[in-house]
Amino acid sequence: MQDALIAQAQAWLAEDPDAETREELARLIDAGDHAELAARFSGTLQFGTAGLRGELGAGPMRMNRSVVIRAAAGLAAYLRRNGQDGGLVVIGYDARHKSADFARDTAAVMTGAGLRAALLPRPLPTPVLAFAIRHLGAVAGVEVTASHNPPRDNGYKVYLGDGSQIVPPADADIAAEIAAVPSLTAVPRPTEGWEVLDDSVLEAYLARTDAVLAPGSPRTARTVYTAMHGVGRDVLLAAFARAGFPEPVLVAEQADPDPDFPTVAFPNPEEPGAMDLAFAKARETGPDLVIANDPDADRCAVAVRDGEDWRMLRGDEVGALLAAHLVRRGATGTFAESIVSSSLLGRIAGKAGLRHVETLTGFKWIARAPGLRYGYEEALGYCVDPDGVRDKDGITAALLITELASELKEDGRTLLDLLDDLAVEHGLHATDQLSVRVQDLSLIAAAMRRLREQPPARLGGLPVTRSEDLTRGTDTLPPTDGLRYTLDGARVIVRPSGTEPKLKCYLEVVVPVAAHADLPTARARATDLLASIKRDLAAAAGI
């Protein structure tokens, strides 16, 4: 068994084009580290609807140049099999370790396969890549990024020519083509022949960002901004300057791209401590709001002064604020969200006479809602210009929320005041999340199995009126690994994360509110309900 493992590792080593991972793998082989080799060669990193994402390192279960070249070859074969021979593939990348290498390898493979390849000129936000696909008439796009994952990770996100991320069955078809690649030596990789784009694509994207704002709207709100060590700073500053907003005050320690993310444990604005430096800068400078992008700038976090200090708004709160803003501006079309996002969007859309659609989690689904005008998901993702970027976009979302804050400021009001108005109009929709990160993925499977075999009858003292296993699909949703519980005045969804080793449970309670004076009581009731539901759910899942 160990001899076969060593032989497998040596065969991989012989093909590896990267000196760094060759040296890493050779050390493991020479040391006879069978446990680590078994972990690296226990299978292959699976290509799915999020593309690829995983820890950097040598071997088929890690992100490395060998894995990326195979993925690119599989994608090229899929495109050619679907009549796209000679079509353009545009490739973007973030500032993580190896991102530029993976992007260049992808360009080489596409060129060698008879497709045309174009690289974005430097590390840029993911929404610029999503925009470029449609702007340039590409047949596909690739973004090399691990978004807000830890620094040791990288990833590979695939879009087709409509500018949306892949969905089934394309993911399985591409995975089959990847599996069919016989060896790296069979993949032509010329050293030239692709195009490196100039800044004209970025300029076209920035020109498009103007369209999300109303002509003549107030542009007075002052912001503190953090790029979270990612690639958002220069593009966001350019967009804000074009729009005529005050120049954002930067969180200097997090302004420059840095693949090691030295000031945060996880480069995700939602993680505890990630916004501490931004809040410190806000206390020092007194802005109207704080804005953060994640490292590839497709997500947007917003924080506001609440009493004596600053707090992050939940993604659902920002989602409702943007929706209300667009409705007031006369937006028409479909308002879409993922099933784990707040039901408040449906209330807002319904009152405005607009179509409301719920999709599976992820913008690969939200972006495909027919007639989409606005889409969001609770994980800080907002699509406010679907004709320009058919994906979440942290730059245009930042512009739109700052416009809203400016309009409210002109009236002596804040984002929190508007949230209060929405609560009185539609009921207080309070959301929370129970998220459990694991080392052993079998714990997630065990929790899901336990909930399926012994579904809870009550949570937080409320009876469960409906229990759905989403693996069977519904009238409006394709099958997915998830559970949905409907309670009297509450809702719970449990699902494994698609991008991280987490079990995620999404909770929402809705408390009627008769008048603004009743809001403190309603909030206290909602907080108690969420805490008791979370406690009962954790016990039921055995987590």
Side-chain angles (χ1 to χ4, degrees):
M1 189 72 169
Q2 290 183 350
D3 289 346
L5 179 61
I6 294 293
Q8 189 181 3
Q10 287 173 331
W12 184 274
L13 178 65
E15 285 192 348
D16 191 337
D18 189 317
E20 197 174 322
T21 45
R22 279 202 311 272
E23 182 182 336
E24 178 187 328
L25 187 53
R27 272 200 313 271
L28 294 174
I29 294 171
D30 292 345
D33 191 340
H34 296 111
E36 184 61 24
L37 287 170
R40 306 288 186 99
F41 288 86
S42 60
T44 58
L45 209 55
Q46 289 303 297
F47 186 93
T49 49
L52 295 168
R53 197 175 289 188
E55 186 176 345
L56 290 162
M61 286 295 287
R62 298 286 186 269
M63 281 295 296
N64 52 63
R65 291 181 62 197
S66 298
V67 164
V68 164
I69 290 166
R70 288 175 181 275
L75 174 59
Y78 168 84
L79 292 171
R80 295 183 65 182
R81 192 180 294 276
N82 283 275
Q84 305 289 1
D85 203 5
L88 174 67
V89 178
V90 61
I91 303 147
Y93 55 103
D94 67 11
R96 284 178 177 265
H97 293 296
K98 297 290 184 183
S99 286
D101 293 339
F102 295 167
R104 279 192 296 270
D105 282 332
T106 301
V109 170
M110 295 301 161
T111 303
L115 292 145
R116 292 180 294 126
L119 274 174
L120 291 184
R122 58 186 171 279
L124 286 167
T126 293
V128 177
L129 180 277
F131 167 82
I133 295 166
R134 302 178 77 192
H135 178 69
L136 298 173
V139 299
V142 171
E143 176 70 16
V144 180
T145 181
S147 190
H148 56 272
N149 274 39
R152 64 178 180 273
D153 290 359
N154 212 328
Y156 198 80
K157 188 183 291 189
V158 176
Y159 298 75
L160 294 182
D162 62 355
S164 300
Q165 298 174 48
I166 55 169
V167 295
D171 57 339
D173 293 344
I174 295 169
E177 297 286 1
I178 294 170
V181 175
S183 70
L184 291 194
T185 54
V187 180
R189 281 187 295 129
T191 56
E192 58 185 12
W194 56 87
E195 179 184 4
V196 178
L197 297 166
D198 60 21
D199 276 351
S200 59
V201 168
L202 177 58
E203 284 301 315
Y205 167 81
L206 285 169
R208 179 86 204 180
T209 63
D210 298 347
V212 306
L213 302 175
S217 63
R219 313 281 168 93
T220 56
R222 294 176 303 109
T223 55
V224 160
Y225 171 71
T226 175
M228 205 66 68
H229 298 296
V231 297
R233 178 194 61 198
D234 293 347
V235 178
L236 182 130
L237 290 179
F240 269 57
R242 288 179 66 104
F245 287 111
E247 183 177 355
V249 175
L250 299 179
V251 178
E253 302 93 327
Q254 298 174 334
D256 293 329
D258 188 331
D260 293 320
F261 306 106
T263 69
V264 289
F266 289 92
N268 177 355
E270 292 181 295
E271 292 284 346
M275 294 289 286
D276 286 356
L277 288 170
F279 291 164
K281 180 62 72 173
R283 293 182 199 109
E284 176 190 324
T285 59
D288 296 299
L289 69 167
V290 175
I291 288 175
N293 287 137
D294 68 338
D296 68 326
D298 62 351
R299 288 174 170 83
C300 175
V302 180
V304 295
R305 180 179 285 282
D306 189 3
E308 293 302 307
D309 209 352
W310 289 80
R311 78 165 174 94
M312 273 265 292
L313 294 179
R314 291 188 173 276
D316 285 317
E317 292 176 310
V318 177
L321 288 167
L322 291 174
H325 185 44
L326 290 169
V327 164
R328 197 187 60 76
R329 277 182 23 188
T332 59
T334 300
F335 278 33
E337 63 180 327
S338 62
I339 57 171
V340 301
S341 303
S342 172
S343 59
L344 177 55
L345 184 69
R347 305 270 182 103
I348 293 170
K351 185 162 185 180
L354 299 174
R355 186 179 183 207
H356 171 247
V357 171
E358 283 189 319
T359 74
L360 293 185
T361 307
F363 264 83
K364 57 185 175 283
W365 299 109
I366 294 169
R368 287 179 162 77
L372 181 66
R373 174 57 186 89
Y374 168 65
Y376 97 93
E377 64 180 0
E378 51 70 46
L380 310 183
Y382 315 95
C383 175
V384 301
D385 178 27
D387 290 339
V389 176
R390 203 161 282 270
D391 197 4
K392 55 186 177 290
D393 182 347
I395 305 296
T396 50
L399 286 170
L400 198 62
I401 198 71
T402 308
E403 177 186 59
L404 173 57
S406 298
E407 291 188 356
L408 291 165
K409 183 180 180 179
E410 296 291 297
D411 295 332
R413 287 160 48 80
T414 68
L415 297 177
L416 292 182
D417 293 326
L418 180 53
L419 284 171
D420 286 350
D421 293 349
L422 292 173
V424 172
E425 186 175 2
H426 302 288
L428 177 67
H429 290 62
T431 57
D432 199 0
Q433 198 177 122
L434 172 62
S435 182
V436 182
R437 185 181 291 271
V438 300
Q439 295 293 325
D440 180 359
L441 288 176
S442 70
L443 296 175
I444 293 177
M448 294 296 288
R449 184 169 59 250
R450 179 169 172 163
L451 287 170
R452 285 191 170 101
E453 291 172 355
Q454 299 173 320
R458 299 177 73 83
L459 291 169
L462 301 175
V464 176
T465 58
R466 189 177 183 193
S467 180
E468 298 170 274
D469 186 344
L470 298 178
T471 54
R472 302 188 180 100
T474 71
D475 292 344
T476 56
L477 298 171
T480 188
D481 186 8
L483 299 163
R484 179 163 61 183
Y485 304 115
T486 304
L487 299 86
D488 185 13
R491 182 216 64 197
V492 173
I493 293 176
V494 184
R495 59 179 281 273
S497 169
T499 55
E500 299 176 271
K502 284 182 174 181
L503 181 68
K504 302 185 90 169
C505 311
Y506 305 83
L507 323 176
E508 179 177 43
V509 300
V510 182
V511 180
V513 184
H516 281 78
D518 300 320
L519 278 167
T521 303
R523 287 204 176 92
R525 167 71 175 151
T527 299
D528 290 346
L529 266 177
L530 286 169
S532 57
I533 290 172
K534 187 186 289 190
R535 186 172 56 246
D536 290 354
L537 184 63
I543 54 176

